Amino acid sequence: MPAFSPDSGLVTRVVASPNHDARAARVDMIVLHYTGMARAEDALARLCDPQSKVSCHYLVLDDGQIWQLVPEERRAWHAGVSSWQGETDINSCSIGIEIANPGHDFGYPDFAKDQIDAVIALGRDVIARRKIPPPRVLAHSDVAPARKSDPGEKFPWHRLGAAGIGLWVAPSQIVPGPELDPGDHSEIVARLQQALAEFGYAVAVTGSYDDATRGVVTAFQRHFRPARADGIADHSTIETLRRLLAARRSAE
Ligand SMILES: [Zn+2]
């Protein structure tokens, strides 16, 4: 007998983690992660270890199996210190999905097709049951840009977008031209920060292109303009952000 009944018919196995508590908000967000460990079994052990104080609702293996660790009604501990659109208790309002991938520290292999198919199926299922708006399907790096880079620039957000998951626009083409760089201080930098903050990122509007701003720009690029995630705000980055804001406004 599993420790609890899975919330989704797609779940192939329940492995209960003790790491959860009561939610303080309604679920209206999905946060995607990679496990960032060389072996998936080590990631599973950590997500179930009471000492680690981390968990997630779902773990998607590279063969496409979906395991559930925490019931959706409970607050899993996957996001850590994080923020989006001014909310800081991201764990309370989100479903956390870990995708088995060793991550940047271990060679960052491509995500397997079967695995992405499973993430798409699971995402559709959660979105339909929880009525999650497309702009609220996010990367861990979006809500914690200074600390996290997962699931990273190899994660195929365009495939999810084509399947109706998340807010997605075709990234603006990368072209030579003027750009905003770390160290710059200007009204244009302030406008970029304002646009990033309006989109949801936790960034102070100072006009100074500081390390925190570079981290947020890199997070934005990993998700929405993954061809070059260098933290430099070129025309393509700024234009892609503008298109996303426009797409979100027109969907509201
Ligand atoms: Zn993560």
Side-chain angles (χ1 to χ4, degrees):
M1 273 285 286
F4 60 88
S5 296
D7 289 291
S8 167
L10 299 164
V11 169
T12 52
R13 188 179 164 199
V14 169
V15 185
S17 168
N19 299 332
H20 55 81
D21 55 9
R23 290 188 183 276
R26 190 178 72 85
V27 174
D28 69 350
M29 181 187 284
I30 293 174
V31 178
L32 298 184
H33 303 257
Y34 66 44
T35 50
M37 294 181 76
R39 298 173 347 130
E41 48 268 51
D42 294 339
L44 179 69
R46 180 160 185 272
L47 292 163
C48 294
D49 176 359
Q51 304 296 321
S52 76
K53 304 252 189 292
V54 297
S55 63
C56 60
H57 295 95
Y58 297 101
L59 171 64
V60 180
L61 302 179
D62 62 1
D63 65 0
Q65 280 196 71
I66 300 170
W67 294 2
Q68 186 166 3
L69 280 59
V70 173
E72 287 187 12
E73 67 175 28
R74 300 288 291 171
R75 178 178 176 271
W77 302 341
H78 56 96
V81 175
S82 47
S83 175
W84 190 254
Q85 291 182 319
E87 293 170 51
T88 54
D89 186 359
I90 298 300
N91 283 338
S92 266
C93 68
S94 64
I95 299 290
I97 300 176
E98 287 277 0
I99 301 159
N101 184 293
H104 292 87
D105 289 347
F106 299 96
Y108 197 25
D110 291 340
F111 293 91
K113 182 180 179 298
D114 288 349
Q115 186 177 38
I116 298 303
D117 289 345
V119 171
I120 288 171
L122 178 61
R124 281 180 161 156
D125 177 71
V126 173
I127 287 165
R129 286 187 288 103
R130 299 281 179 178
K131 308 279 180 286
I132 292 170
R136 306 274 292 175
V137 182
L138 295 166
H140 196 192
S141 51
D142 290 321
V143 299
R147 299 186 303 115
K148 296 292 175 179
S149 50
D150 60 311
E153 62 282 358
K154 282 188 174 181
F155 187 76
W157 289 101
H158 63 281
R159 278 202 60 203
L160 273 68
I165 299 171
L167 180 65
W168 180 256
V169 299
S172 169
Q173 203 186 345
I174 296 175
V175 291
E179 61 193 29
L180 301 174
D181 293 298
D184 286 359
H185 185 101
S186 70
E187 184 55 37
I188 308 171
V189 174
R191 284 209 292 275
L192 168 67
Q193 291 168 327
Q194 183 61 48
L196 289 164
E198 182 189 343
F199 195 58
Y201 291 96
V203 60
V205 181
T206 61
S208 289
Y209 207 121
D210 51 12
D211 286 348
T213 302
R214 183 172 195 166
V216 168
V217 171
T218 305
F220 174 81
Q221 292 168 331
R222 286 190 205 281
H223 185 161
F224 296 105
R225 209 288 308 269
R228 199 161 75 201
D230 58 2
I232 292 168
D234 61 345
H235 176 269
S236 152
T237 300
I238 294 169
E239 173 62 14
T240 304
L241 174 58
R242 190 194 65 74
R243 289 179 188 177
L244 284 160
L245 285 165
R248 194 176 67 185
R249 274 186 219 112
S250 69
E252 280 167 0

